[in-house]
Amino acid sequence: MNPLQTKIARSLLENLLQNPQIQEQTLANTTSYQDIEYSMANTGQFVSIGQHKHIELEDAKSKTKNLDWTFRKNGISFINNKTGENLFLSRMEYDKWYADTPIRIPSYEGFFWTSFVDLNTMERLLDSFFAEDDWFSVTHWSESPGPFEEVSNPGGYLND
């Protein structure tokens, strides 16, 4: 940063610290809006993709934690309209979620990257997905043709 830029930045910071109202407005303007919609199937709850319901991170975590694993085809899907990325999560057991995302290579159209994750990893996935960080690196992914094609794995994916 050149001396003039440093002086301007310092002046802006001083103004922000002296005037809380400006600070609140600046924070509101710099907080990026997450254009993330969700759809969900859970016991007693259904949100279709056509409803275009937006969701924030904390609500996404809560809804994902509260998926009923006794409801066979439970799940919640997140679509980031800004990046075009998708993340689907289904709760398999108390501390086991199935995650998938489409493989974005034309020759693999219709195939998914899949993973089985615990609560901590599921939350890190959502944190990174909503922050538009490298969420794909949070877990190890495998190739699979679809979300409900024998996802129970008798040996247990988390115990490998």
Side-chain angles (χ1 to χ4, degrees):
M1 197 180 305
N2 69 40
L4 180 59
Q5 289 173 323
T6 304
K7 186 175 181 178
I8 292 170
R10 189 174 296 131
S11 173
L12 289 172
L13 181 59
E14 287 171 4
N15 286 339
L16 285 174
L17 293 174
Q18 290 172 0
N19 189 340
Q21 185 179 8
I22 292 174
Q23 186 176 11
E24 288 175 21
Q25 289 173 341
T26 304
L27 289 174
N29 291 338
T30 58
T31 302
S32 63
Y33 171 72
Q34 300 297 312
D35 188 11
I36 297 176
E37 295 179 1
Y38 78 103
S39 59
M40 180 176 69
N42 198 14
T43 303
Q45 300 173 326
F46 182 79
V47 176
S48 74
I49 193 69
Q51 290 178 279
H52 301 286
K53 302 248 334 190
H54 284 87
I55 192 165
E56 298 296 326
L57 175 60
E58 292 308 313
D59 197 24
K61 284 182 179 181
S62 175
K63 288 182 185 309
T64 305
K65 284 181 196 175
N66 291 320
L67 289 172
D68 180 1
W69 68 86
T70 64
F71 183 57
R72 185 177 179 278
K73 291 192 177 183
N74 74 71
I76 189 163
S77 181
F78 303 100
I79 299 170
N80 186 324
N81 291 317
K82 190 163 76 172
T83 65
E85 295 175 313
N86 302 292
L87 177 61
F88 172 80
L89 294 159
S90 177
R91 193 167 182 187
M92 308 302 293
E93 295 174 7
Y94 178 75
D95 190 25
K96 181 179 179 180
W97 282 262
Y98 163 87
D100 78 26
T101 189
I103 296 176
R104 297 197 176 268
I105 302 171
S107 59
Y108 281 90
E109 188 172 323
F111 287 80
F112 297 85
W113 290 115
T114 65
S115 184
F116 287 87
V117 298
D118 60 13
L119 175 64
N120 184 39
T121 307
M122 179 273 293
E123 288 183 326
R124 287 191 352 246
L125 264 174
L126 289 176
D127 287 339
S128 295
F129 184 84
F130 276 76
E132 297 177 357
D133 287 337
D134 181 16
W135 58 273
F136 194 81
S137 297
V138 170
T139 186
H140 172 75
W141 299 89
S142 303
E143 183 183 319
S144 174
F148 293 107
E149 294 194 22
E150 200 52 49
V151 294
S152 59
N153 185 22
Y157 287 87
L158 292 175
N159 300 325
D160 292 344

